[in-house]
Amino acid sequence: MKGVIVNCLKELVITKFGEDKWREAMEKSGLDPNMAFTSLGDVEDGAVMTVIQNVCKVLNITLEQAADAFGDYWVNEFAPKMYPRHFENIKSSKEFLMKMDKVHEMTTANMANAHPPRFNYKEKDEKTLIMTYNSKRGLMPIFLGLIKGVGKHYKENLKITALNDKDVEIKFP
């Protein structure tokens, strides 16, 4: 996984809950709390998952709550600062989500060891999209949190239903 994910998680935890909570989660994970992650650097998936699990323990929240907080923070705070061009000229949640596979493909094309999730789309009808999450990491809760964050960003009340461990039905207003 790329360090940018860990950097976002770190910023979220420190901003919303305090640096002491981040330090505690890192220590519980057996990692140096002062460890720096470069955005394009590789971080072992297992290490990231251990940090996420320990953030949940330290904050006494569920993985779903952590995933929702991460998705909200990524879409509404972190990504607009890091990747503002991906938000330009997008007017709706559906338009943004339909662009995500291409964004992942373009952003990581020349990035060593990048294995971002990829997405397939099936429009059930004008207001319903089935989005298929393709990743060996199996981070469906985070994917759902990100979709919720997109709805919040565009001030749209999305109805999101996980159909299985890969497919999500999204109903737009």
Side-chain angles (χ1 to χ4, degrees), residues 7-9 11-13 15-16 68-84 87 96 146 149-150 152-153:
N7 287 337
C8 178
L9 179 63
E11 186 178 299
L12 163 64
V13 173
T15 302
K16 303 288 184 182
D68 286 353
F70 180 85
D72 182 8
Y73 196 81
W74 178 273
V75 175
N76 294 295
E77 305 282 339
F78 194 82
K81 292 183 294 188
M82 291 288 292
Y83 311 106
F87 291 82
F96 186 89
L146 291 164
V150 170
K152 180 179 174 182
H153 184 81

Side-chain angles (χ1 to χ4, degrees), residues 20 36 56:
D20 58 320
C56 290

Side-chain angles (χ1 to χ4, degrees), residues 4-60:
V4 69
I5 303 300
V6 183
N7 287 337
C8 178
L9 179 63
K10 177 181 180 179
E11 186 178 299
L12 163 64
V13 173
I14 290 172
T15 302
K16 303 288 184 182
F17 304 99
E19 190 166 347
D20 58 320
K21 297 297 185 184
W22 177 253
R23 293 183 72 74
E24 186 179 344
M26 289 292 284
E27 287 169 358
K28 282 183 180 285
S29 301
L31 299 171
D32 178 355
N34 298 314
M35 179 182 242
F37 300 93
T38 61
S39 290
L40 299 180
D42 296 320
V43 183
E44 187 179 320
D45 290 355
V48 176
M49 292 311 300
T50 299
V51 172
I52 292 170
Q53 291 164 353
N54 284 309
V55 164
C56 290
K57 288 177 187 170
V58 166
L59 299 178
N60 195 29

